[in-house]
């Protein structure tokens, strides 16, 4: 069904899918939908799409696609870096290796001086030759008599290695101290030292700051997450049905419960439908949180879902969430993170609350065709980015196929070509076009794709789509 002004209008949802650099693409799509005046009832998301969904639900997405928005700031380039402790530890390890090679480097340098002296003597430059040979003799004497290299270098190597282990140990202790849960952990101690390699501090800070821009009101410092969540839920709940305000569904994965969890902020008329138990899924309270109809303490889970959506499986530390004592989980502390396949769960949830047509948005291009091979990445971040992008593409295709049989209209907005991987926050070199692609271009690409794939062919015609 086209989303024009004819009647009856179908209940419509926009589903934002993707990890990492999907945020800029979502921002461009949301800008296009906003400019075209598309009437959207529900915004559902997982991963980094959560901040786009929370912003679009209160018609405050303008700061996401602004020229000085969060995705174009220098902070964005620090997203998902290696943990600071690992960076320092790798530096210490590199220093230790350099110290181990220092005797060899010293001998090579001395040999170069000796070779220069011999060459100078062959071309009849006796003064230069004598000077180079004397320097060669002095270097060897200073290094080995007294024995500087045999005594000092091993000590420096040991000191660098001890410093590396100390940094990792302190980091592991701080991480353990900051955990809400007091459960014991299993495994050998060096795995505790290595921990999770990628630091989610950014873009987590960008997302929380963006949410605070929405909820802070006129002024004031940033508030705690529970206060921020309460303000946001009140803002949306009090304005259901007003222009620009929409319902929100956020999906995350609960590692401890081994379930996907949906945090919903739905209109009162859909509370009953949202609370209905899924077939074979167990108690509905174990896998859903209706923050609008639930207890006051549950409203903070909106921010927890936002933060958890930015935590990658295995690569970054999960976000710990403490449930209210009077909830189904009775005050337990669980670990939440994102899961690339959550788009399928979101399709099921939007159908549950009466959505009749859905717009799927992802930065993942279509599946590869023959002669579409690319260079294999060598580092961990880009290898993981390649895997995540591949899983997201397959999950999106399956969700799209499943949604076709459940809704009156299913539309997809995705790029035909997108070389920017999930963790390429500093931009990436595109082999196909022989240039560097930036996040600012990704925002523009989402905007153009929305017009080219959806607004112009579907909305502008005002035709009924079977």
């Amino acid at each position: 069904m086209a989303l024009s002004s004819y009647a009856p209008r179908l209940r419509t949802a926009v589903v934002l899918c993707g990890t990492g650099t999907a945020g800029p693409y979502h921002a461009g799509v949301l800008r296009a939908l906003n400019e075209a005046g598309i009437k959207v009832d529900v915004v559902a998301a997982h991963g980094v799409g959560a901040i786009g969904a929370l912003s679009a639900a209160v018609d405050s997405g303008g700061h996401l696609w602004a020229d000085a928005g969060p995705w174009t700031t220098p902070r964005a380039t620090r997203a998902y870096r290696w943990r600071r402790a690992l960076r320092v530890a790798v530096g210490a390890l590199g220093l230790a290796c350099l110290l181990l090679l220092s005797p060899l480097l010293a001998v090579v340098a001395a040999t170069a001086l000796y070779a220069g002296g011999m060459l100078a003597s062959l071309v009849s430059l006796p003064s230069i030759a004598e000077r180079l040979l004397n320097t060669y003799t002095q270097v060897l004497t200073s290094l080995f008599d007294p024995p500087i290299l045999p005594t000092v270098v091993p000590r420096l190597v040991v000191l660098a290695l001890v410093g590396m282990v100390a940094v990792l140990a302190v980091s592991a202790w701080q991480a353990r101290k900051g955990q809400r849960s007091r459960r014991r952990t299993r495994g050998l101690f060096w795995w505790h030292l290595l921990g999770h390699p990628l630091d989610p501090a950014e873009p987590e800070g960008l997302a929380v700051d963006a949410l605070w821009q929405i909820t802070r009101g006129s002024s004031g410092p940033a508030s705690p997450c529970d206060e921020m969540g309460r303000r946001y839920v009140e803002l949306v709940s009090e304005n259901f049905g007003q222009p620009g305000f929409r319902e929100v569904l956020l999906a995350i994965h609960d590692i401890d419960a081994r379930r996907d969890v949906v945090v919903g902020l739905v209109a009162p008329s859909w509370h009953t439908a949202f609370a209905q138990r899924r077939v074979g899924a167990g108690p509905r309270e174990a896998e859903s949180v209706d923050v609008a109809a639930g207890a006051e303490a549950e409203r903070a889970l909106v921010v927890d879902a936002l933060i958890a959506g930015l935590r990658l499986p295995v690569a970054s530390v999960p976000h710990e969430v403490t449930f209210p004592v009077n909830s189904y989980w009775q005050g337990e502390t669980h670990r939440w993170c994102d899961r690339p396949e959550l788009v399928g769960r979101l399709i099921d949830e939007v159908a549950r609350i009466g959505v009749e047509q859905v717009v799927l948005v992802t930065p993942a291009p279509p599946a590869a065709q023959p002669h579409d091979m690319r260079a294999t990445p060598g580092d961990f971040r880009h290898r993981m980015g390649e895997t995540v992008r591949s899983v997201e593409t397959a999950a999106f295709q399956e969700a799209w196929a499943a949604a076709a049989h459940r809704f009156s209209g299913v539309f997809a907005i995705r790029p035909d070509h997108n070389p920017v991987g999930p963790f390429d926050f500093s931009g990436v070199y595109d082999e196909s076009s022989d240039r560097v692609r930036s996040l600012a271009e990704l925002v523009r690409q989402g905007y153009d794709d929305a017009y080219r794939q959806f607004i112009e062919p579907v909305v502008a015609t005002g035709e009924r789509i079977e």
Side-chain angles (χ1 to χ4, degrees):
M1 181 75 68
L3 304 185
S4 56
S5 58
Y6 62 86
R9 191 187 64 81
L10 299 184
R11 184 167 164 83
T12 305
V14 173
V15 180
L16 305 177
C17 319
T19 302
T21 55
Y25 190 82
H26 294 160
V29 172
L30 292 174
R31 177 185 179 185
L33 298 180
N34 182 71
E35 289 184 0
I38 306 301
K39 174 64 175 177
V40 177
D41 301 281
V42 181
V43 187
H46 77 91
V48 73
I51 185 56
L54 294 175
S55 298
V58 293
D59 201 20
S60 298
H63 65 286
L64 296 180
W65 59 73
D67 293 338
W71 305 121
T72 57
T73 62
R75 290 177 61 185
T77 62
R78 300 193 295 268
Y80 295 120
R81 293 189 301 176
W82 291 94
R83 284 174 36 236
R84 180 182 301 176
L86 289 181
R87 298 199 302 270
V88 174
V90 170
L93 181 61
L95 177 61
C97 294
L98 183 63
L99 290 171
L100 283 174
L101 294 175
S102 59
L104 177 60
L105 297 176
V107 172
V108 170
T111 303
L113 290 173
Y114 180 81
M118 296 298 295
L119 181 62
S121 64
L122 292 176
V123 297
S124 301
L125 296 174
S127 59
I128 297 179
E130 182 180 1
R131 189 179 306 116
L132 290 175
L133 292 175
N134 289 336
T135 303
Y136 164 75
T137 303
Q138 292 173 1
V139 168
L140 291 181
T141 301
S142 62
L143 291 177
F144 296 100
D145 187 21
I148 295 178
L149 289 180
T151 57
V152 175
V153 170
R155 296 174 184 176
L156 293 178
V157 170
V158 171
L159 182 62
L161 294 177
V162 169
M164 177 187 71
V165 175
V167 168
L168 293 176
V170 171
S171 176
W173 176 77
Q174 289 178 338
R176 181 61 181 168
K177 184 179 179 181
Q179 291 179 353
R180 301 184 189 179
S181 174
R182 292 179 291 181
R183 289 178 292 175
R184 66 183 182 89
T185 55
R186 297 181 300 169
L188 300 176
F189 77 96
W190 49 76
W191 294 114
H192 298 286
L193 297 183
L194 293 177
H196 301 272
L198 299 186
D199 185 4
E202 300 292 352
E204 183 179 308
L206 291 172
V208 173
D209 289 347
L211 184 61
W212 175 237
Q213 294 292 326
I214 300 172
T215 59
R216 68 177 180 175
S218 59
S219 62
S223 62
C225 289
D226 54 351
E227 176 68 15
M228 198 182 306
R230 183 186 64 80
R231 290 191 184 187
Y232 183 86
V233 173
E234 290 178 354
L235 176 64
V236 178
S237 300
E238 294 172 358
N239 291 277
F240 277 135
Q242 299 297 320
F245 287 86
R246 306 171 177 95
E247 299 163 62
V248 185
L249 294 178
L250 303 180
I252 47 85
H253 182 69
D254 189 330
I255 298 175
D256 292 296
R258 298 186 292 278
R259 295 174 178 269
D260 295 328
V261 178
V262 177
V263 177
L265 183 52
V266 299
S269 57
W270 295 105
H271 287 327
T272 301
F274 181 71
Q276 287 179 354
R277 177 176 176 176
R278 294 192 306 141
V279 177
R284 180 63 176 172
E285 297 84 355
E287 61 175 15
S288 69
V289 180
D290 189 346
V291 292
E296 183 83 12
E298 291 182 338
R299 297 186 174 185
L301 296 181
V302 169
V303 185
D304 287 316
L306 170 63
I307 295 175
L310 301 172
R311 303 295 178 93
L312 306 171
V314 181
S316 59
V317 59
H319 178 61
E320 293 190 326
V321 178
T322 301
F323 290 92
V325 176
N326 58 348
S327 68
Y328 176 85
W329 294 109
Q330 301 179 6
E332 293 182 1
T333 297
H334 288 196
R335 296 167 296 164
W336 284 5
C337 69
D338 185 35
R339 189 170 70 88
E341 301 91 339
L342 282 171
V343 57
R345 178 60 184 276
L346 289 173
I347 292 295
D348 181 69
E349 292 294 334
V350 296
R352 171 185 297 273
I353 58 173
V355 167
E356 298 168 281
Q357 60 184 3
V358 62
V359 182
L360 302 174
V361 182
T362 179
Q369 301 294 328
H371 313 295
D372 196 23
M373 302 292 286
R374 293 290 184 268
T376 301
D379 62 286
F380 174 81
R381 291 175 75 249
H382 288 91
R383 283 184 179 179
M384 183 168 183
E386 180 185 54
T387 302
V388 169
R389 174 57 53 83
S390 179
V391 173
E392 287 179 347
T393 301
F396 186 85
Q397 292 295 138
E398 293 179 359
W400 191 357
H405 304 287
R406 306 187 65 177
F407 301 94
S408 298
V410 179
F411 310 97
I413 301 175
R414 66 189 312 183
D416 296 327
H417 172 68
N418 179 19
V420 182
F423 307 130
D424 295 326
F425 284 89
S426 298
V428 65
Y429 171 74
D430 182 12
E431 296 180 0
S432 301
S433 57
D434 192 25
R435 65 185 182 88
V436 176
R437 297 284 296 274
S438 65
L439 294 191
E441 285 188 77
L442 198 57
V443 176
R444 183 66 187 183
Q445 185 174 7
Y447 179 85
D448 293 339
D449 287 344
Y451 267 96
R452 179 174 56 86
Q453 300 176 11
F454 178 63
I455 296 174
E456 293 176 353
V458 177
V459 179
T461 60
E463 296 178 355
R464 190 178 188 88
I465 305 300
E466 295 299 328

